[in-house]
Amino acid sequence: MDQKHGHRIVVLSGPSGSGKTTLVRHLIQCAPVKLVKSVSATTRPPRPGEVHGDDYWFLSADEFRARLGQDKFIEHAEVFSSGFLYGTLWSELDRAWGQEGWAFLEIDVQGAMKVVQQYPDAVTIFVRTPSPEEFERRLRARGTESEDVIQRRLATAATELQLADRYKYVVVNDQLETAVSEICAILKAEEKARNA
Ligand code: 5GP
């Protein structure tokens, strides 16, 4: 592996409803640096249209625990108190670095902090909505979640927002294009700093 590219990690977090997924799609296409999206493992069942190995590695709880036992994860967490586990496999980082790219992790706050403990150099970006009211409106507009899930996500989001200051960058996703170009500028500057 080229040492110059060895430890490039960018971590993006933010409450669900902050527009992260769309943002990630745009960034992969137009970022000024090579981003290789890490495919997380999860015990959550696939949603309609989700593809194994593309959206997630969908594992049974036993399969997930077996990999935990083998130290295959850089981090893992139970998200939303849902009982489902999510984790980033070391093999995903190796895949990104093998392509001389940035490993691009879209993970929750707990996971992000664990990555930073191991890679203090990781570029951490927190995406937030303009206001709690706007966040709730977006979450409800999706119409895909039950009230119970919405309430849990709102509670998680409130906690996550308090943690935003642990991130190196906070980007408000009000206008998609503005947020994309802000993040592109961050990545360009970080790449430049590493090449200096
Ligand atoms: P969803 O189930 O909606 O796809 O994702 C739920 C949450 O899990 C999101 O907040 C996402 O950031 C988080 N997540 C996805 N993959 C990982 C992972 O590998 N590690 C951690 N810690 N969180 C993850």
Side-chain angles (χ1 to χ4, degrees):
M1 188 193 305
D2 177 350
Q3 281 307 311
K4 264 174 69 184
H5 288 270
H7 294 154
R8 283 165 156 77
I9 300 180
V10 53
V11 178
L12 193 91
S13 305
S16 66
S18 58
K20 256 180 321 176
T21 314
T22 315
L23 199 54
V24 167
R25 218 179 30 242
H26 280 77
L27 285 168
I28 299 278
Q29 278 164 11
C30 61
V33 303
K34 182 174 175 132
L35 295 179
V36 180
K37 192 176 177 317
S38 157
V39 178
S40 293
T42 184
T43 59
R44 161 170 87 60
R47 296 190 184 121
E50 284 186 330
V51 176
H52 181 68
D54 195 354
D55 297 292
Y56 281 103
W57 299 107
F58 293 102
L59 304 180
S60 68
D62 283 349
E63 288 169 330
F64 198 102
R65 279 193 212 101
R67 283 165 180 74
L68 271 179
Q70 297 159 348
D71 267 338
K72 302 255 183 199
F73 289 102
I74 173 172
E75 64 76 30
H76 77 282
E78 187 184 318
V79 177
F80 298 134
S81 324
S82 60
F84 295 126
L85 296 166
Y86 293 77
T88 306
L89 295 157
W90 285 107
S91 55
E92 291 295 315
L93 300 187
D94 289 338
R95 185 167 62 83
W97 295 337
Q99 294 174 38
E100 303 203 338
W102 286 75
F104 186 26
L105 280 54
E106 196 239 294
I107 62 178
D108 82 333
V109 174
Q110 311 167 68
M113 295 306 120
K114 288 183 208 159
V115 170
V116 170
Q117 278 165 16
Q118 295 169 80
Y119 291 97
D121 254 15
V123 176
T124 53
I125 304 173
F126 190 87
V127 179
R128 50 162 300 186
T129 48
S131 66
E133 294 74 25
E134 175 61 12
F135 167 59
E136 183 167 354
R137 197 194 61 74
R138 288 188 199 182
L139 200 53
R140 290 188 186 284
R142 286 209 309 215
T144 52
E145 260 85 38
S146 66
E147 184 60 30
D148 182 43
V149 171
I150 288 177
Q151 287 305 329
R152 262 187 286 152
R153 292 204 168 188
L154 286 174
T156 306
T159 315
E160 285 193 315
L161 271 186
Q162 290 168 1
L163 296 170
D165 60 0
R166 298 212 205 151
Y167 284 69
K168 195 162 178 189
Y169 302 98
V170 178
V171 172
V172 177
N173 189 12
D174 189 5
Q175 298 290 326
L176 177 69
E177 277 141 57
T178 315
V180 169
S181 58
E182 257 182 62
I183 296 175
C184 285
I186 290 168
L187 293 173
K188 208 169 173 175
E190 290 281 351
E191 173 85 27
K192 197 171 162 202
R194 279 165 175 73
N195 287 334

